[in-house]
Amino acid sequence: VVNIITKEGKGKLKGKVSGTYGSYDSRSTSSEVSGSTKHMSYYAYANYDDQHGYRQNSDVLAKNFQTRLSSKVMDWLKMVVEAIWHEDNYGLPGGLSGAQLEQFGRRGTRNPSDKASTKDRALQTTFDISPLNEDLGHLVMDLSYRDRDTYADFQSQGIDTKRDSNTTGVTGKYI
């Protein structure tokens, strides 16, 4: 089951852009936009992180996007569509023994080519069905799909791994 939680837009169109710069030339930027109309709300967020770690081969590059669209389709039906996309690439510096600390130093690595990455995509649609009599509660149905791929390349060991995970879900609850 995929559980995507994103903000819901409210009010007039508004947005935000931010950026940071930090130690070891690390940079991050993000932006978001949200708002609503009489029958629909919207929210979107994007983020880009480029972190250069303290140690050799400890860099991380991550990109994210998520969005949520919500609409009151009819008096008794609200529909929400949410999506995420994530991708990252990062180095795997590995641990160092006492002798390797002497040889490579605290910032060194014995595995300069080991790396890993992730790709994650998900989509969820929610139907919130309320009968005309609110005392009867309402039915919420979620349909979801997630596609997650992970990859690790341990060149120092001559090993690489690839894992693909696809999940489809249907969840219902009466509230």
Side-chain angles (χ1 to χ4, degrees), residues 21-22 40 58 66 111 131 148 174:
Y21 182 81
M40 185 175 93
S58 64
Q66 61 186 28
N111 309 315
R148 180 177 173 88
Y174 184 75

Side-chain angles (χ1 to χ4, degrees), residues 6 13 32-33 52 58 63 84 97 121 125 127 136 171-172:
T6 55
L13 172 66
E32 67 180 61
V33 64
H52 300 274
S58 64
K63 299 173 247 178
I84 66 162
S97 67
R121 289 122 357 232
T125 303
F127 300 93
L136 296 175
T171 306

Side-chain angles (χ1 to χ4, degrees), residues 98 112-113 124 147 153 162 164:
S113 299
Q124 179 171 302
D147 179 12
D153 184 5
K162 182 169 176 38
D164 298 328

